[in-house]
Amino acid sequence: MISFDERKIKEELFIQNSKEFHRFVECYDNQMVPVMKAKGYTCIHSMERTVAFTFGEFTFRRRRWKKGDKWVVPVDEKLGLQKNVRFSLTLMYQIARLATMMPYDKVLQVIEMTYHITITKPTVVKAVKLCETLLEERKAHRFFEEELQSEKKKANIIYIEGDGVMVKARKQGDDNRRFDLSHFIVHTGSLKVSQQRSKLIDKKEFVSMNNRLARSQVIDYLYNTFEITEETILITNSDGGHGYTPYVFKEIAKALNIKRHEHFWDAYHVNQLVKTYFKPYSQQLIEEALQAIYQHSKSQLQSVFDTTESILTTTEEEVAFENTKQRILQNFRYTKPASLRGLQKVSLGVMETQHRKITYRMKRRGMYWSDWGAETMSQMILLVYEGRLKELFFGDWRQEYKKITDLDHLTAATIRQQMNHTEEKDYQLNTLKRGKRQKFYK
């Protein structure tokens, strides 16, 4: 029995694809000759070019035309190829997409196994840098977009949760150190889709190396997306760390002119703190402390601390005791259960699970990132989960952005310079915009 050789068939198909591709290029190039002449262009010469596509790597010849100082290559335009680029945009998109799922060296193996195209690690870095450029251009494009007044969503309750993701990164010329990626999640509740799984409604995530910029983006998104009324309730949740204190969320509520704001100290972190501290003493103290918190009885919790204080024996224990007691009692009001605040079921505590998509890719195997790489990769991961990474590469906004920049003879670098495109400046611009909006709102 003769076995089926799939590899041989694939090789024959590749040869056939190559013939079809070269035939297409030649046909289109010839077809454009009378069109270009009618437009007043002169054919200067024909040149070869090698480009890797998702269907193979090919070397092909095409005509180059000139009128005055303007050069045009119709075949390159048809194929969507930019000058001096060896990889098609679709292939770069797929490389970037794979980079959000696996280490760069694994991306090389997948591309070679799938497309029989050999790339190097700098090519993967180039794809990520392309994403960084597109993210900056997308942000710049918003400053040129006409503010169309779309209908805002109605939501009686809006949730915000915030926390940091610590990653190992380094800036150029600096030693390796840890950076805190600020991560915020906005949603309007949860919907049960199966017995074990729930889905967040209207979920939107924000991540940045700059905590204040991330908060500013959250405020702008909420203002532009939701209809804020006198009845709107803002419910926030965090572990109370730097950049995620109750005061930070109160400022968000104030900026949006939300009258009622309820902040919660994240239950997971409260339980973890209580169990970690009281574990060396007794299980009974843990249970009594948790019961006091669940029942929101400050006097009962004080009794637990009094009992604990009576059994301390060292100075180190006394210092740890005072720090823990002070932290819990100062933030005790934020442990008040939703039922005691007149709220029914609340959808909180999603932060840790939402972190996983970032930590799974960015914190394994002791890997280090550059500062720009950590920022860009985290945003790419969010775009993938939102189903919007492809839109970043191929969305209509790119054509609109090109028309604007061509019309005004601008480049992305010029726009960034005009915008003073730094994180701090972005924060100031957004704050200014919000101030104007609030005056209008009032």
Side-chain angles (χ1 to χ4, degrees):
M1 182 177 178
I2 301 175
S3 62
F4 174 72
D5 192 344
E6 186 175 336
R7 293 171 298 177
K8 185 176 181 180
I9 297 295
K10 186 174 182 178
E11 185 177 340
E12 292 175 357
L13 290 174
F14 178 78
I15 294 173
Q16 183 64 30
N17 286 341
S18 177
K19 291 179 180 178
E20 290 295 329
F21 175 75
H22 284 95
R23 188 180 296 114
F24 165 78
V25 169
E26 183 180 2
C27 180
Y28 184 79
D29 205 23
N30 292 334
Q31 178 184 330
M32 292 301 295
V33 170
V35 176
M36 299 305 293
K37 286 183 177 179
K39 292 182 178 180
Y41 284 87
T42 302
C43 182
I44 304 302
H45 52 230
S46 180
M47 292 185 65
E48 283 190 344
R49 182 176 188 178
T50 301
V51 178
F53 301 89
T54 55
F55 49 85
E57 185 172 7
F58 303 102
T59 299
F60 54 94
R61 182 174 291 276
R62 74 277 191 265
R63 294 180 178 88
R64 302 180 77 236
W65 300 78
K66 186 178 182 183
K67 181 171 73 172
D69 295 331
K70 185 177 181 181
W71 286 86
V72 176
V73 186
V75 169
D76 289 2
E77 291 183 352
K78 181 69 173 177
L79 297 174
L81 301 176
Q82 296 181 350
K83 185 178 180 182
N84 300 325
V85 171
R86 203 176 77 83
F87 301 94
S88 72
L89 188 62
T90 301
L91 182 58
M92 293 298 279
Y93 159 72
Q94 295 195 8
I95 292 173
R97 177 71 174 80
L98 289 170
T100 66
M101 302 163 57
M102 61 189 72
Y104 292 175
D105 56 345
K106 299 296 183 184
V107 176
L108 312 185
Q109 299 175 31
V110 171
I111 292 295
E112 184 172 5
M113 182 179 68
T114 307
Y115 298 131
H116 295 280
I117 296 172
T118 301
I119 64 173
T120 60
K121 191 174 289 187
T123 304
V124 185
V125 175
K126 188 175 181 180
V128 177
K129 281 187 173 290
L130 175 58
C131 284
E132 180 191 30
T133 301
L134 292 175
L135 286 166
E136 290 183 359
E137 290 180 351
R138 187 73 180 94
K139 187 182 295 185
H141 177 251
R142 293 193 181 99
F143 283 83
F144 293 94
E145 286 178 322
E146 292 183 2
E147 293 189 2
L148 300 176
Q149 292 294 327
S150 58
E151 186 176 353
K152 295 184 178 181
K153 298 178 181 179
K154 294 182 179 180
N156 295 327
I157 299 178
I158 299 173
Y159 297 87
I160 305 176
E161 297 197 38
D163 196 9
V165 181
M166 196 68 69
V167 296
K168 296 178 181 178
R170 54 176 172 266
K171 291 186 177 180
Q172 189 172 4
D174 289 351
D175 294 333
N176 296 341
R177 58 193 183 99
R178 294 178 181 273
F179 284 83
D180 192 39
L181 281 170
S182 295
H183 189 192
F184 288 89
I185 296 176
V186 174
H187 62 92
T188 58
S190 62
L191 179 67
K192 205 166 186 64
V193 294
S194 68
Q195 195 168 3
Q196 293 83 20
R197 182 172 170 268
S198 296
K199 178 182 179 181
L200 294 178
I201 305 171
D202 298 321
K203 186 182 76 169
K204 179 69 176 177
E205 297 183 65
F206 303 86
V207 62
S208 175
M209 297 283 273
N210 186 315
N211 182 272
R212 294 212 300 170
L213 175 59
R215 283 149 43 193
S216 177
Q217 291 171 346
V218 168
I219 294 173
D220 273 1
Y221 169 76
L222 291 174
Y223 180 87
N224 290 312
T225 306
F226 296 100
E227 181 181 342
I228 307 298
T229 68
E230 293 287 331
E231 289 73 35
T232 301
I233 302 174
L234 179 65
I235 298 179
T236 59
N237 187 62
S238 72
D239 64 357
H242 181 67
Y244 312 96
T245 61
Y247 172 79
V248 165
F249 293 99
K250 287 178 183 177
E251 287 297 301
I252 293 177
K254 183 179 178 181
L256 293 168
N257 202 28
I258 295 177
K259 303 302 182 183
R260 183 178 179 185
H261 168 224
E262 299 286 347
H263 182 74
F264 289 81
W265 187 5
D266 185 64
Y268 170 81
H269 288 90
V270 175
N271 291 346
Q272 190 179 49
L273 175 62
V274 169
K275 291 176 181 179
T276 300
Y277 176 73
F278 288 104
K279 185 177 180 180
Y281 301 105
S282 74
Q283 180 64 30
Q284 182 179 353
L285 286 175
I286 294 177
E287 294 173 358
E288 290 178 357
L290 291 177
Q291 184 180 17
I293 291 173
Y294 296 155
Q295 296 178 353
H296 202 62
S297 173
K298 198 169 187 178
S299 59
Q300 185 178 344
L301 183 61
Q302 184 65 57
S303 298
V304 175
F305 280 120
D306 290 343
T307 302
T308 307
E309 187 175 17
S310 66
I311 59 177
L312 300 179
T313 58
T314 66
T315 303
E316 290 77 9
E317 285 182 317
E318 292 176 356
V319 171
F321 170 81
E322 289 298 332
N323 290 337
T324 304
K325 177 182 177 181
Q326 182 180 18
R327 183 182 178 190
I328 292 178
L329 293 181
Q330 280 184 346
N331 294 283
F332 184 73
R333 57 176 169 164
Y334 303 117
T335 66
K336 189 175 183 179
S339 59
L340 298 181
R341 306 189 195 202
L343 298 170
Q344 295 181 349
K345 178 185 176 183
V346 294
S347 303
L348 292 175
V350 304
M351 204 73 226
E352 294 301 319
T353 56
Q354 297 299 318
H355 272 337
R356 288 175 189 169
K357 55 180 167 284
I358 297 176
T359 58
Y360 181 80
R361 173 65 183 92
M362 301 184 66
K363 294 187 69 171
R364 300 169 69 199
R365 298 170 299 277
M367 59 178 60
Y368 272 90
W369 299 84
S370 62
D371 57 333
W372 73 266
E375 175 102 23
T376 304
M377 181 57 65
S378 61
Q379 294 187 35
M380 288 168 61
I381 291 171
L382 293 189
L383 287 175
V384 168
Y385 274 80
E386 293 173 358
R388 296 196 298 119
L389 183 63
K390 193 171 185 178
E391 191 268 343
L392 180 69
F393 276 78
F394 305 105
D396 293 338
W397 73 269
R398 294 200 65 189
Q399 286 71 38
E400 297 169 2
Y401 178 76
K402 187 176 186 304
K403 288 178 183 177
I404 293 171
T405 53
D406 287 348
L407 181 64
D408 295 335
H409 305 288
L410 296 172
T411 64
T414 306
I415 294 172
R416 287 195 298 272
Q417 184 178 6
Q418 290 180 354
M419 292 168 56
N420 268 341
H421 196 67
T422 62
E423 293 173 337
E424 190 62 30
K425 189 63 178 178
D426 274 342
Y427 176 80
Q428 295 171 4
L429 285 172
N430 287 332
T431 303
L432 178 63
K433 286 161 62 180
R434 290 197 304 275
K436 292 179 179 178
R437 289 167 180 166
Q438 286 176 22
K439 289 180 181 178
F440 176 78
Y441 181 79
K442 292 176 182 177

